[in-house]
Amino acid sequence: MRDNTDEINKWLSGNPPKPMEEFNTASVPLQGPLAGDAVTGRGTSLVDGKVTEVQNTKGVSLRLMYDPSLDPPYVVFSSLPK
């Protein structure tokens, strides 16, 4: 979420904001003595109607849902490998 702070603030500045918004992070850094990007899952893509080979994913898709009764005014609706 920190990587998307500006985008989240822009979304919240709408009057009212869209009810739900998706934000993507290209990679998640490893923590501790390891270096590089963490593998966040495994997935496939659909290219020209064919499923590709399963590959490691390194990003995260974050979906937020607006709720003006909260502070901050949103909930994390879903977070999944991208």
Side-chain angles (χ1 to χ4, degrees):
M1 289 182 61
R2 288 185 186 129
D3 290 345
N4 295 307
T5 299
D6 291 339
E7 291 86 357
I8 291 170
N9 287 335
K10 184 177 177 183
W11 167 62
L12 291 172
S13 71
N15 192 16
K18 292 186 339 189
M20 190 174 302
E21 189 64 58
E22 181 174 343
F23 302 92
N24 295 305
T25 300
S27 66
V28 178
L30 291 171
Q31 296 182 357
L34 304 173
D37 296 328
V39 173
T40 58
R42 297 201 27 97
T44 63
S45 298
L46 191 62
V47 177
D48 297 326
K50 297 179 182 178
V51 177
T52 63
E53 186 175 329
V54 175
Q55 300 177 38
N56 290 338
T57 58
K58 295 190 176 189
V60 173
S61 176
L62 178 69
R63 293 185 184 136
L64 303 181
M65 187 167 55
Y66 179 68
D67 184 341
S69 69
L70 300 175
D71 183 21
Y74 58 84
V75 294
V76 177
F77 182 69
S78 179
S79 178
L80 54 136
K82 181 81 175 164

